[in-house]
């Protein structure tokens, strides 16, 4: 009834679509040391739930109800948006600012690779 070519074509289309969605929903690469030092200042966190994972606003305590496949992408977008407003690069230091623009933390960037990641990821 169905030819083998049609089955192979459907299998190839399924694999292509699966891989395309997989790579589209991958989070951006990060510098582990700087990223881990920034997370305590970031007003969102990833929370495990019964149905998967979600993003929690630390200030209000409310969930954002994001689709599980998009959580890490949205988390990166929130982090980048927050970083443009709350981070300043001063030489080899990354200054973390509060909502009023007052410094609340300082992270020393150990090498040029970390500084380049901050500039590229946050657009500073």
């Amino acid at each position: 009834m169905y030819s083998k070519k049609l089955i192979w074509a459907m299998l190839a289309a399924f694999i292509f679509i699966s891989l395309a969605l997989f790579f589209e929903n991958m989070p951006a690469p990060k510098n582990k040391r700087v990223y881990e030092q920034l997370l305590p200042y970031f007003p969102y966190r990833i929370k495990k739930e019964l149905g998967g994972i979600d993003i929690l606003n630390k200030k209000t305590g409310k969930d954002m109800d994001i689709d599980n496949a998009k959580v890490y992408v949205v988390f990166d977008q929130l982090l980048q948006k927050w970083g443009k407003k709350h981070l300043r690069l001063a030489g080899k230091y990354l200054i973390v600012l509060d909502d009023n623009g007052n410094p609340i933390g300082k992270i020393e960037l150990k090498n040029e690779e970390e500084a380049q990641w901050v500039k590229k990821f946050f657009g500073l």
Side-chain angles (χ1 to χ4, degrees):
M1 184 165 179
Y2 295 106
S3 74
K4 289 184 180 182
K5 291 180 183 178
L6 180 61
I7 293 172
W8 283 110
M10 290 175 64
L11 179 64
F14 175 77
I15 290 172
F16 175 76
I17 291 170
S18 298
L19 287 173
L21 290 173
F22 174 75
F23 288 114
E24 178 183 322
N25 292 319
M26 284 184 66
K30 297 171 187 67
N31 183 290
K32 186 176 180 176
R33 190 187 76 77
V34 176
Y35 178 73
E36 288 176 353
Q37 289 186 16
L38 278 176
L39 283 182
Y41 301 107
F42 187 51
Y44 299 96
R45 71 177 179 88
I46 293 180
K47 172 184 158 190
K48 292 183 181 180
E49 294 182 333
L50 184 61
I53 55 176
D54 204 358
I55 298 175
L56 176 75
N57 187 327
K58 292 180 189 176
K59 294 179 181 179
T60 63
K62 293 185 180 181
D63 290 343
M64 297 187 75
D65 294 326
I66 308 269
D67 183 31
N68 280 340
K70 300 251 183 229
V71 167
Y72 291 107
V73 173
V74 172
F75 191 75
D76 277 356
Q77 291 169 350
L78 289 169
L79 183 62
Q80 289 169 339
K81 184 179 176 184
W82 173 84
K84 285 182 182 179
K85 182 179 179 186
H86 292 90
L87 296 176
R88 296 292 173 260
L89 200 54
K92 66 175 187 168
Y93 291 98
L94 183 63
I95 310 297
V96 183
L97 308 171
D98 64 6
D99 291 336
N100 299 323
N102 301 320
I104 56 173
K106 184 189 291 190
I107 298 170
E108 182 180 1
L109 301 175
K110 302 273 186 198
N111 54 40
E112 187 61 30
E113 180 183 318
E114 291 178 348
Q116 288 301 320
W117 176 78
V118 168
K119 289 176 186 175
K120 182 179 175 187
F121 188 80
F122 294 107
L124 300 178

